[in-house]
């Protein structure tokens, strides 16, 4: 980031129009990414969120309290530089989508998975003409090529800002279908989190919750909610 320091050096963070979108300035100095690219984002809403993060900093700067800034940096420095690779990485989740791998027993868990996941596989078929196969156990199942192509095309249509968000929407849930459903506005991120945790929640109900695992899960959920927010900021004027 431009002028990066552990201490705050600016009084006011503002938003200005720039070529290709909007940028944030600190006392008139443009913010840059860690790779020294101009931090120009596609919507005013995103820029205003970034400016608010900078404005909210105290005497010492805490990057962990600046999630929109970090996601914008990732889009510009990382995703833009390897867009094809990121696209392929996300699309590959369709080959091993969480929703396709089902328990064989106990019956109560099998029923819970069906109740939670079947409707979203149906949604993917209706939305993208992409029907994924379901299999018992964890042995990989070969998914139909047309379904993978259809899902892949949707991912390919994303720009770098959308890919930065979708990367986490998909990676944190383990499901390309759930990630796309959140991106399309068909499913809220908090609901997607619950759907991705059917197996874990079952185990917790049976054996109790591990404190460290619970803390890690809470962090992942917050990251998922942020990814949803970042996607929305990309599409908010």
């Amino acid at each position: 980031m431009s002028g990066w320091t552990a201490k705050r050096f600016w009084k006011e963070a503002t938003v200005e129009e720039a070529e290709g979108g909007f940028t944030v300035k600190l006392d008139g100095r443009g913010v840059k990414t860690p790779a020294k690219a101009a931090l120009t984002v596609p919507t005013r809403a995103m820029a205003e969120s970034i400016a608010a993060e900078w404005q909210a900093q105290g005497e010492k700067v805490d990057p962990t309290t600046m999630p929109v800034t970090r996601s914008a940096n990732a889009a510009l420095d990382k995703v833009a530089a390897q867009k094809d690779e990121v696209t392929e990485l996300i699309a590959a989740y369709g080959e091993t989508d969480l929703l396709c791998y089902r328990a064989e027993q106990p019956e109560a868990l099998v029923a819970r998975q069906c109740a939670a996941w079947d409707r979203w596989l149906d949604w993917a078929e209706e939305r993208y003409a992409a029907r994924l196969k379901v299999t018992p156990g964890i042995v990989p199942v070969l998914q139909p090529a047309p379904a993978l192509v259809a899902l892949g095309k949707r991912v390919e249509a994303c720009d770098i800002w959308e890919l930065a968000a979708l990367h986490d929407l998909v990676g944190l849930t383990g499901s390309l279908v759930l990630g796309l459903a959140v991106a399309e506005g068909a499913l809220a991120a908090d609901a997607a989190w619950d759907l991705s945790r059917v197996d874990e929640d079952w185990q917790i109900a049976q054996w109790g919750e591990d404190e460290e695992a619970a803390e890690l899960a809470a962090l992942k959920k917050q990251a998922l909610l942020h990814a949803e927010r970042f996607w929305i900021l990309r599409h908010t004027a």
Side-chain angles (χ1 to χ4, degrees):
M1 301 178 189
S2 178
W4 180 257
T5 176
K7 293 184 178 180
R8 179 168 179 157
F9 62 89
W10 67 95
K11 292 183 178 179
E12 186 177 16
T14 57
V15 172
E16 294 185 10
E17 289 192 39
E19 183 178 356
F22 301 86
T23 191
V24 175
K25 293 194 173 182
L26 308 177
D27 293 342
R29 297 176 59 187
V31 175
K32 292 186 180 296
T33 71
K36 307 304 180 183
L39 185 61
T40 302
V41 298
T43 67
R44 180 177 289 276
M46 187 181 292
E48 288 177 345
S49 294
I50 292 171
E53 291 178 346
W54 286 87
Q55 192 64 32
Q57 295 303 300
E59 182 180 349
K60 293 185 177 180
V61 179
D62 182 2
T64 65
T65 64
M66 308 171 77
V68 183
T69 304
R70 288 187 287 112
S71 290
N73 286 338
L76 290 166
D77 286 352
K78 297 180 180 179
V79 180
Q82 46 187 345
K83 187 173 184 288
D84 290 344
E85 291 86 346
V86 174
T87 298
E88 291 176 5
L89 175 67
I90 297 171
Y93 274 84
E95 300 173 10
T96 57
D97 199 288
L98 169 73
L99 307 189
C100 297
Y101 291 85
R102 306 297 178 87
E104 298 180 81
Q105 57 178 340
E107 291 185 6
L109 176 56
V110 174
R112 184 173 296 188
Q113 289 176 337
C114 290
W117 296 345
D118 285 357
R119 62 172 295 198
W120 294 104
L121 292 177
D122 292 342
W123 174 84
E125 182 176 22
E126 295 169 3
R127 183 70 180 82
Y128 305 114
R131 186 70 206 186
L132 296 178
K133 291 181 179 179
V134 172
T135 186
I138 60 174
V139 177
V141 60
L142 185 64
Q143 296 293 351
L148 296 179
V149 169
L151 293 172
K153 285 183 178 179
R154 177 63 186 91
V155 179
E156 290 171 6
C158 292
D159 62 26
I160 62 171
W161 313 97
E162 293 168 329
L163 287 173
L166 191 61
H167 177 274
D168 286 348
L169 291 174
V170 172
L172 289 167
T173 60
S175 170
L176 179 57
V177 172
L178 292 181
L180 287 173
V182 175
E184 299 280 13
L187 179 66
D190 57 352
W193 175 255
D194 291 341
L195 289 170
S196 75
R197 297 275 302 177
V198 169
D199 291 350
E200 289 82 355
D201 289 345
W202 173 268
Q203 293 298 325
I204 289 171
Q206 306 305 308
W207 309 108
E209 189 169 39
D210 177 79
E211 185 175 342
E212 289 186 7
E215 291 177 357
L216 179 59
L219 291 174
K220 289 183 176 180
K221 181 178 182 180
Q222 287 304 310
L224 186 71
L225 295 177
H226 165 68
E228 177 188 42
R229 180 191 176 204
F230 193 73
W231 180 282
I232 292 172
L233 287 172
R234 167 64 185 89
H235 295 277
T236 303

